[in-house]
């Protein structure tokens, strides 16, 4: 196991932080999904217990977010924890306080968990190396990992397909810059998915050596044949070093998911997108809002997956 993947376990092999899905293994991922599904049922039955009462969760978002930040806040509150949304822009980081000192300062206020999003790969791991007692949960770092997005995507697929083993999954778009794709691939591979196809224009494809488990297909129509799940990705202009050199209309013509294109996939194929979506660039309205779309189910599942992760890292201690 590489050092970053290993850094999330304590000396007894228990999960202490959640930094990546790599190295978690099938049993632990399935247990986390089962826990999320059980919490969802308990919540809907009105029987949820405040198992994190007296705990404090701090959101440290150095990059913008709608879904992840809000759902972590809802998840923590539903479990009875206090939540602090740390305002980076108005904090003493503007006076030069380091990330490490910021973390230790907030930890001294008895934070039990930090939810960290940052544009640089490895920042949550850096926090984990400095945290004295708090758990660190990666809410997305650069193009490295977005483990709770990976888990909520797996839960959403499992809700519809029962078993992920053997499913053909096509991931289309800006895979090169996507932390979601990396976490999805790690999770899908751990759960025994069939063919995982990566599709997009050459400048947005990763190095082939990074994903030996996947089939890289440049032609979207080919990538869609017989697929059970289509995961569309956002063009991440903020992470591109140079412009794509392809007009949005041309991108949509080649890689946009339209009803005609979707007809190439299996009839019951799921359409997913982590959001935020660029409608008319990556996906047509008729597909995003269509009967095969589970995009809003992904959003709803995000709360339950994040509850499960918080319960696992804080509740059992
Ligand atoms: N999917 C996702 O991470 O969305 P946000 O950037 O809105 O959190």
């Amino acid at each position: 196991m590489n050092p970053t993947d290993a850094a999330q376990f304590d000396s007894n092999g228990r999960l202490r932080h959640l930094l990546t899905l790599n190295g978690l293994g099938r049993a632990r991922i399935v247990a986390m999904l089962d826990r999320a599904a059980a919490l969802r049922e308990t919540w809907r039955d009105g029987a949820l217990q405040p198992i994190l009462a007296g705990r404090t969760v701090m959101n440290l978002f150095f990059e913008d977010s709608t879904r992840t930040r809000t759902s972590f806040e809802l998840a923590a509150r539903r479990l009875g924890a206090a939540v602090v949304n740390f305002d980076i822009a108005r904090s003493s980081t503007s006076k030069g306080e380091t990330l490490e000192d910021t973390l230790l300062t907030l930890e001294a206020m008895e934070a039990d968990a930090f939810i960290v999003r940052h544009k640089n790969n490895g920042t949550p791991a850096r926090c984990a190396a400095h945290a004295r007692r708090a758990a660190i949960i990666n809410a997305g770092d650069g193009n490295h990992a977005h483990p709770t997005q990976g888990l909520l995507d797996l839960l959403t697929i499992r809700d519809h397909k029962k078993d992920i083993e053997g499913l053909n999954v096509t991931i289309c778009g800006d895979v090169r810059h996507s932390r979601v794709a990396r976490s999805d691939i790690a999770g899908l591979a751990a759960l025994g998915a069939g063919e995982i196809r990566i599709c997009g224009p050459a400048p947005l494809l990763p190095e082939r050596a990074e994903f030996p488990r996947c089939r890289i297909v440049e032609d979207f129509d080919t990538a869609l044949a017989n697929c059970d799940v289509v995961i569309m990705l956002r063009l991440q202009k903020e992470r591109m070093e140079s412009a794509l050199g392809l007009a949005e209309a041309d991108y949509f013509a080649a890689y946009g998911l339209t009803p005609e294109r979707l007809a190439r996939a299996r009839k019951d194929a799921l359409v997913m997108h982590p959001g935020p979506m660029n409608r008319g660039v990556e996906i047509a309205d008729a597909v995003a809002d269509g009967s095969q779309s589970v995009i809003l189910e992904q959003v709803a599942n995000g709360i339950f997956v994040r509850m499960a992760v918080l319960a696992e890292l804080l509740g059992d201690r």
Side-chain angles (χ1 to χ4, degrees), residues 2-309:
N2 85 35
T4 311
D5 302 350
Q8 54 192 352
F9 298 102
D10 67 15
S11 53
N12 298 317
R14 285 180 42 145
L15 196 66
R16 162 144 166 57
H17 308 285
L18 180 64
L19 306 177
T20 168
L21 295 187
N22 289 317
L24 277 197
R26 179 190 175 92
R28 209 186 291 260
I29 291 176
V30 169
M32 209 99 81
L33 300 181
D34 289 346
R35 189 169 205 165
L39 284 163
R40 181 172 61 191
E41 212 172 301
T42 316
W43 165 256
R44 289 179 180 164
D45 288 346
L48 195 65
Q49 298 298 313
I51 57 171
L52 297 187
R55 303 304 192 93
T56 301
V57 173
M58 293 201 184
N59 274 327
L60 288 189
F61 278 64
F62 293 86
E63 259 190 0
D64 292 341
S65 166
T66 294
R67 281 146 285 266
T68 313
R69 193 171 97 144
T70 311
S71 59
F72 262 115
E73 179 167 356
L74 284 169
R77 287 193 197 284
R78 284 183 187 180
L79 292 175
V83 178
V84 174
N85 286 309
F86 184 66
D87 186 352
I88 309 276
R90 299 177 72 85
S91 75
S92 289
T93 54
S94 65
K95 301 172 200 162
E97 190 159 49
T98 64
L99 174 73
E100 286 79 4
D101 280 334
T102 302
L103 187 88
L104 292 177
T105 299
L106 297 172
E107 203 179 26
M109 298 178 198
E110 303 192 356
D112 294 292
F114 291 101
I115 318 298
V116 181
R117 170 170 286 191
H118 201 282
K119 69 179 168 74
N120 293 335
N121 291 16
T123 298
R126 214 174 117 196
C127 293
H130 283 83
R132 295 184 178 168
R133 49 175 289 280
I136 305 296
I137 301 173
N138 183 357
D141 60 331
N143 72 351
H144 169 239
H146 193 347
T148 55
Q149 179 74 44
L151 291 171
L152 74 87
D153 287 349
L154 293 175
L155 180 63
T156 308
I157 297 171
R158 207 180 72 162
D159 283 344
H160 289 269
K161 300 290 182 190
K162 309 295 176 237
D163 196 354
I164 287 171
E165 206 166 313
L167 293 181
N168 294 328
V169 181
T170 297
I171 303 177
C172 178
D174 186 0
V175 179
R176 179 180 285 268
H177 301 102
S178 176
R179 54 198 177 208
V180 174
R182 285 170 175 78
S183 287
D184 281 350
I185 291 166
L188 288 164
L191 297 197
E195 194 167 72
I196 305 174
R197 303 166 190 162
I198 292 174
C199 178
L204 300 183
L205 290 174
E207 298 298 325
R208 200 168 281 272
E210 189 184 349
F211 296 112
R213 167 77 169 72
C214 301
R215 181 177 153 213
I216 295 187
V217 188
E218 268 193 60
D219 178 63
F220 193 20
D221 290 332
T222 306
L224 285 168
N226 292 327
C227 91
D228 299 286
V229 179
V230 192
I231 302 176
M232 300 303 294
L233 299 174
R234 181 173 67 87
L235 283 179
Q236 300 190 51
K237 292 180 189 157
E238 72 275 22
R239 282 183 237 292
M240 293 182 192
E241 281 162 17
S242 56
L244 179 58
L246 196 61
E248 287 186 346
D250 294 335
Y251 182 85
F252 186 67
Y255 296 102
L257 188 59
T258 59
E260 297 71 34
R261 276 233 164 82
L262 181 58
R264 294 178 177 272
R266 292 216 160 108
K267 273 193 173 44
D268 59 352
L270 302 178
V271 173
M272 305 177 74
H273 194 303
M277 287 184 278
N278 294 307
R279 287 170 180 263
V281 179
E282 299 129 17
I283 189 164
D285 288 341
V287 176
D289 305 324
S291 60
Q292 288 170 256
S293 169
V294 292
I295 293 169
L296 294 178
E297 290 176 41
Q298 290 173 263
V299 175
N301 278 337
I303 302 175
F304 302 107
V305 154
R306 286 160 183 140
M307 285 164 76
V309 169

